[in-house]
Amino acid sequence: MQPPKWKIQGDKVVEYRDVVVHTFTVGDVEDPEVYAAHPIIQWQDTEQGQWVMANAVKPPYYMQQVDHVNYGYKFVIVARLAAADVTFWKLKWA
């Protein structure tokens, strides 16, 4: 988790953080982003995914990393959440 950042919304200052909300791996395939689409959509259909999509400050994004241990690719989904939402997410799903 990254250090907090702040944003002015209206007349209030809101603290938010970028949080890794989901991770998954894809095997050694020719086009890993094509194969990652299905797990991402499945995650979005879960209770956790729907909550993150509804409460994220900005749309969540994913990052792809090479997984040398398992000879594949690791994907992480990162969401920017307000501080109160980070606390709720950690208590319920982390």
Side-chain angles (χ1 to χ4, degrees):
M1 188 164 45
Q2 295 181 346
K5 299 174 182 164
W6 293 272
K7 181 179 182 181
I8 297 174
Q9 290 182 338
D11 59 347
K12 295 189 303 184
V13 176
V14 178
E15 178 185 349
Y16 62 90
R17 294 177 182 262
D18 291 341
V19 181
V20 175
V21 293
H22 185 63
T23 61
F24 62 94
T25 58
V26 173
D28 186 20
V29 295
E30 187 174 324
D31 193 355
E33 291 189 356
V34 170
Y35 286 89
H38 183 66
I40 291 172
I41 291 170
Q42 281 184 325
W43 174 77
Q44 286 179 337
D45 290 339
T46 65
E47 178 188 4
Q48 178 186 9
Q50 290 175 357
W51 185 88
V52 169
M53 297 301 286
N55 292 292
V57 174
K58 291 172 46 176
Y61 61 94
Y62 70 90
M63 294 185 290
Q64 173 185 341
Q65 305 164 346
V66 176
D67 186 359
H68 295 288
V69 175
N70 297 316
Y71 299 105
Y73 299 92
K74 179 180 177 182
F75 286 83
V76 294
I77 299 175
V78 180
R80 181 166 287 174
L81 298 171
D85 291 334
V86 171
T87 303
F88 179 84
W89 183 83
K90 282 185 174 183
L91 290 172
K92 186 157 184 173
W93 290 295

